[in-house]
Amino acid sequence: VFNDPLAKVHAMSIALSPADPAYIFVAASSTDGANGYIKRVPKAGPATTADNLVTGIYEAYDIIVAGDDVYWSQGDGVPQNARGIGQASRKPGGGSSLIKTSVGQPDLLAADATALYWNLYDQPGLWTANRTAPANPRELLSSSVHGLAVDDAKLYLALGDNSGAGSITAMAKDG
């Protein structure tokens, strides 16, 4: 569907949106911290018609589409002042911003109708913030989270450590 000719850029994550069924959303990272991007790429047709939603970002690790917005995490390998969760309109020309999460290096993302959820690359923890006030995160769990999903009722987590111990668990969204 899409092959980017820039040698310094590579796709890190993709997402789909029921609201935009004809597109794939792509988060790409760059080795120099200046050429990363978020694109909306048509599933069919020429990749040259891909829409740039955000350009000039650092390492984008995960991407999700929630409502009218695309969110991506940028943590590991990113300067301290550029760590956080990015937010942009899922349609071209809508603008973007970086949400400072104030803790650690955001990695995996999930969202429901009102909240964002993320784990941290560099330390245990599961965090949440209201999608309309994301600069005020709160910790839900202090365990190491390696997988994250959400539905209308609960959060589903893959928990574990490097010793091989782990579990899949469900928990209330408020912790």
Side-chain angles (χ1 to χ4, degrees), residues 13-46:
S13 188
I14 60 173
L16 300 174
S17 169
D20 277 328
Y23 295 95
I24 298 170
F25 294 82
V26 178
S29 294
S30 65
T31 56
D32 64 3
N35 290 312
Y37 58 73
I38 306 297
K39 288 186 186 246
R40 187 177 78 159
V41 181
K43 289 180 182 177

Side-chain angles (χ1 to χ4, degrees), residues 3 25 34 47 50-51 54 64-66 72 89 92 94 99 109 115 132 135 156-157 165-166 175:
N3 182 18
F25 294 82
D51 298 311
V54 183
I64 59 171
V65 181
W72 68 95
S89 171
I99 302 162
L109 298 171
T132 60
Y156 299 88
L157 309 169

Side-chain angles (χ1 to χ4, degrees), residues 143-163:
S143 299
S144 292
V145 176
H146 298 281
L148 172 61
V150 63
D151 67 14
D152 291 339
K154 294 184 178 187
L155 288 164
Y156 299 88
L157 309 169
L159 303 175
D161 59 32
N162 290 332
S163 71

Side-chain angles (χ1 to χ4, degrees), residues 32-168:
D32 64 3
N35 290 312
Y37 58 73
I38 306 297
K39 288 186 186 246
R40 187 177 78 159
V41 181
K43 289 180 182 177
T48 56
T49 61
D51 298 311
N52 283 325
L53 300 179
V54 183
T55 58
I57 63 173
Y58 284 90
E59 304 282 335
Y61 284 96
D62 199 10
I63 183 174
I64 59 171
V65 181
D68 289 334
D69 296 311
V70 175
Y71 298 92
W72 68 95
S73 60
Q74 46 187 57
D76 183 43
V78 175
Q80 185 76 28
N81 66 345
R83 293 178 183 159
I85 297 171
Q87 177 181 16
S89 171
R90 67 177 166 78
K91 296 186 178 179
S96 67
S97 63
L98 180 65
I99 302 162
K100 300 292 186 181
T101 57
S102 73
V103 293
Q105 301 173 25
D107 188 23
L108 302 176
L109 298 171
D112 62 19
T114 60
L116 288 170
Y117 304 91
W118 65 92
N119 75 331
L120 300 172
Y121 176 83
D122 58 334
Q123 58 187 298
L126 175 66
W127 292 79
T128 188
N130 190 298
R131 283 179 40 199
T132 60
N136 299 311
R138 67 183 180 89
E139 188 174 22
L140 292 177
L141 187 68
S142 60
S143 299
S144 292
V145 176
H146 298 281
L148 172 61
V150 63
D151 67 14
D152 291 339
K154 294 184 178 187
L155 288 164
Y156 299 88
L157 309 169
L159 303 175
D161 59 32
N162 290 332
S163 71
S167 64
I168 304 296

